[in-house]
């Protein structure tokens, strides 16, 4: 795999993506199978560094934009608005039978996430919404059987009671936490807000306002913050500086951990970690059933690619039945086609998971966080304001009024 750019005279199709080594191997299996079926199309991979958006912008500004690009839910609209990405409707419209079959096999929430300003700028390739991992034996000792389906979610109060019961302090001062967060904390808090009956942004795609000031959203956000700062069932930020949330869960020092499927390969297969998965809790104004974030990545095509036809063949393959079957059987990703989700390969890759419906029904219960070209500026502002709440330096009520208005101004200024 290559890490550098591609020369303008290179006739290979270039594919830009970000992945850990084991994930990259799965993508290479998809590429190998594509090459077997399309020996006339060569592919060169470009693996992203830590800042994929900046790297893509640098490539494209220099006239070396990769032909096929990984697209992130929170980032792709900025590239679409700059004209970097091709509207895939121009290709889908040429083949209405294929387009209809794709949409019928897709989860609408994931597919629509990559629809921006009337265009379809990527096709989903894997789902990575968040849920809750739990230590099966630890909760069984407490007589707790967590929900196995999104539509049968537990309440905020039930979740808190379990987290309290699972939190233990020993004589050495080490804590066994009831709950830890292995994601981005203010994103997680937003999901709790959404599970109390209010969207984070309205509308989710190309939003014009935030709902930080909605009392339902604020109460859900505050409930999440209070798990650490008030109830003491989760570590505060300073307490996770020396050991990460995944390490706390993997070592048995946390009974539950919020995260996505990207953690599954780290947790699974350890005899001393009998894990399972459950859904997020629902607040008094939320439901029925729990929801999560879309968390999806997709595949896009550069608008100025000289190899659009070859790129389209690869995107269709990777996001279609064969590519998705490889993803499903890998155990490293959750596929985005219903047919792949229901495949024996996906079930076999997760044979030790009893609550498999948390994965298979996750996409249908997903909601976008925000799709806006202004996300870079918005996220910087949210990071400052929201993290004050999560540290206990302010309450979620502080995000109303002036702060929410500043976020709205950034959204509308785009």
């Amino acid at each position: 795999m290559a890490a550098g750019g591609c020369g303008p005279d290179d006739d290979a199709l270039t594919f830009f993506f970000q992945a850990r080594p084991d994930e990259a191997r799965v993508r290479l299996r998809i590429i190998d199978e594509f090459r077997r079926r399309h020996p006339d199309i060569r592919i060169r991979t470009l693996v992203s560094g830590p800042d994929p958006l900046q790297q893509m912008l640098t490539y494209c500004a220099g006239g070396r934009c990769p032909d096929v690009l990984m697209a992130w839910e929170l980032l792709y609209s900025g590239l679409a608005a700059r004209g970097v990405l091709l509207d895939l409707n121009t290709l889908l419209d040429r083949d209405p039978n294929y387009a209809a079959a794709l949409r019928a096999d897709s989860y609408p929430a994931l597919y629509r996430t990559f629809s921006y300003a009337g265009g379809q700028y990527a096709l989903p390739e894997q789902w990575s919404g968040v849920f809750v991992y739990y230590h099966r034996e630890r909760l069984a000792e407490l007589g707790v059987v967590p929900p196995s389906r999104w539509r049968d979610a537990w309440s905020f109060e039930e979740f808190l009671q379990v987290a309290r019961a699972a939190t233990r302090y020993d004589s050495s001062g080490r804590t066994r936490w009831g709950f830890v967060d292995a994601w981005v904390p203010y994103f997680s808090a937003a999901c709790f807000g959404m599970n109390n009956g209010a969207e984070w942004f309205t509308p989710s795609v190309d939003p014009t306002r935030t709902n930080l000031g909605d009392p339902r959203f604020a109460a859900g956000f505050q409930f999440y913050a209070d798990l650490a700062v008030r109830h003491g069932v989760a570590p505060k930020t300073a307490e996770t500086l020396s050991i990460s949330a995944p390490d706390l869960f993997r070592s048995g020092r946390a009974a539950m951990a919020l995260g996505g499927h990207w953690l599954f390969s780290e947790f699974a297969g350890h005899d001393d970690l009998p894990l399972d998965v459950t859904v997020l809790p629902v607040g008094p104004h939320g439901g029925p059933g729990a929801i999560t974030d879309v968390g999806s990545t997709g595949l896009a095509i550069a608008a100025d690619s000289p190899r659009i036809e070859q790129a389209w063949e690869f995107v269709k393959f990777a996001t279609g039945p064969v590519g998705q079957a490889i993803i499903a059987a890998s155990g490293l990703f959750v596929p985005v086609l219903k047919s792949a989700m229901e495949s024996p390969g996906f079930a076999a890759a997760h044979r030790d998971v009893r609550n498999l419906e948390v994965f298979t029904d996750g996409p249908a219960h997903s909601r976008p966080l925000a799709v806006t070209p202004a996300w870079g500026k918005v996220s910087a502002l949210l990071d400052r304001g929201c993290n004050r709440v999560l540290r206990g330096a302010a309450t979620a009520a502080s995000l109303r009024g002036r702060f929410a208005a500043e976020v709205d101004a950034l959204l509308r200024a785009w």
Side-chain angles (χ1 to χ4, degrees):
M1 289 183 290
C6 51
D9 298 325
D10 189 343
D11 65 352
L13 185 72
T14 49
F15 174 29
F16 176 90
F17 64 91
Q18 186 179 53
R20 297 179 301 185
D22 53 348
E23 295 170 341
R25 286 191 287 272
V26 175
R27 298 194 186 282
L28 289 177
R29 287 206 293 272
I30 294 173
I31 291 171
D32 288 343
E33 182 60 24
F34 178 80
R35 284 171 173 157
R36 190 181 71 80
R37 300 181 185 217
H38 299 269
D40 56 320
I41 301 177
R42 297 194 302 117
I43 296 180
R44 187 144 73 92
T45 58
L46 304 170
V47 181
S48 166
D51 189 344
L53 179 61
Q54 185 57 51
Q55 198 167 347
M56 285 188 285
L57 290 172
T58 300
Y59 279 149
C60 297
R64 298 181 293 122
C65 198
D67 301 297
V68 177
L69 308 96
M70 180 182 280
W72 285 262
E73 168 193 354
L74 295 171
L75 301 179
Y76 85 89
S77 61
L79 296 173
R82 291 179 173 90
V84 172
L85 304 182
L86 179 71
D87 179 1
L88 299 183
N89 283 329
T90 60
L91 303 173
L92 290 164
D93 290 346
R94 297 186 326 197
D95 191 347
N97 291 333
Y98 165 78
L102 174 66
R103 293 186 181 108
D105 201 15
S106 297
Y107 295 93
L110 275 57
Y111 190 91
R112 290 196 298 262
T113 293
F114 294 102
S115 301
Y116 173 77
Q120 184 72 34
Y121 289 99
L123 297 183
E125 58 135 6
Q126 60 99 15
W127 175 76
S128 200
V130 296
F131 44 86
V132 177
Y133 291 93
Y134 69 91
H135 194 292
R136 191 183 296 143
E137 290 182 358
R138 289 275 301 280
L139 294 200
E141 291 170 0
L142 301 174
V144 174
V145 180
S148 61
R149 298 178 295 189
W150 292 92
R151 63 178 179 270
D152 299 328
W154 42 3
S155 68
F156 278 3
E157 185 58 33
E158 290 169 333
F159 181 83
L160 176 58
Q161 289 176 0
V162 172
R164 276 178 171 155
T167 300
R168 294 284 187 272
Y169 301 92
D170 63 26
S171 57
S172 67
R174 282 165 46 102
T175 305
R176 293 176 65 184
W177 299 104
F179 172 74
V180 292
D181 188 352
W183 196 33
V184 181
Y186 79 86
F187 284 10
S188 303
C191 283
F192 276 68
M194 293 163 63
N195 271 296
N196 199 33
E199 294 180 311
W200 194 5
F201 295 90
T202 301
S204 297
V205 177
D206 206 11
T208 56
R209 65 181 174 87
T210 179
N211 293 311
L212 290 168
D214 187 307
R216 297 169 299 172
F217 185 90
F221 196 103
Q222 188 66 57
F223 174 83
Y224 171 90
D226 285 345
L227 293 173
V229 302
R230 179 184 172 195
H231 302 299
V233 300
K236 297 177 182 178
T237 302
E239 293 170 309
T240 57
L241 295 179
S242 60
I243 183 170
S244 69
D247 285 341
L248 285 170
F249 182 74
R250 189 167 42 239
S251 64
R253 292 180 57 192
M256 298 183 288
L258 186 149
H261 192 274
W262 66 86
L263 291 168
F264 182 75
S265 62
E266 294 185 31
F267 294 159
H270 297 278
D271 292 338
D272 58 345
L273 181 58
L275 67 83
D276 217 318
V277 293
T278 186
V279 303
L280 301 179
V282 171
H285 303 289
I291 58 175
T292 183
D293 69 304
V294 164
S296 182
T297 60
L299 296 184
I301 297 175
D304 62 354
S305 169
R307 292 169 283 272
I308 287 177
E309 296 303 324
Q310 297 97 315
W312 180 229
E313 289 302 318
F314 177 70
V315 169
K316 287 194 298 182
F317 181 85
T319 63
V322 177
Q324 288 292 294
I326 294 173
I327 276 181
S330 72
L332 293 173
F333 302 100
V334 178
V336 295
L337 295 184
K338 298 170 188 174
S339 56
M341 193 76 84
E342 297 164 359
S343 67
F346 185 74
H350 301 85
R351 61 175 58 89
D352 294 329
V353 176
R354 297 175 183 174
N355 297 341
L356 193 62
E357 286 185 59
V358 174
F359 294 154
T360 58
D361 286 351
H365 289 81
S366 299
R367 304 292 183 271
L369 296 182
V371 176
T372 170
W375 181 250
K377 293 180 179 179
V378 169
S379 63
L381 181 58
L382 289 171
D383 186 66
R384 294 195 298 272
C386 293
N387 284 335
R388 292 186 69 245
V389 178
L390 300 179
R391 294 196 310 270
T395 67
S398 68
L399 303 178
R400 304 174 187 173
R402 180 178 175 181
F403 184 84
E406 290 178 2
V407 174
D408 291 349
L410 291 175
L411 294 172
R412 292 167 182 161
W414 174 254

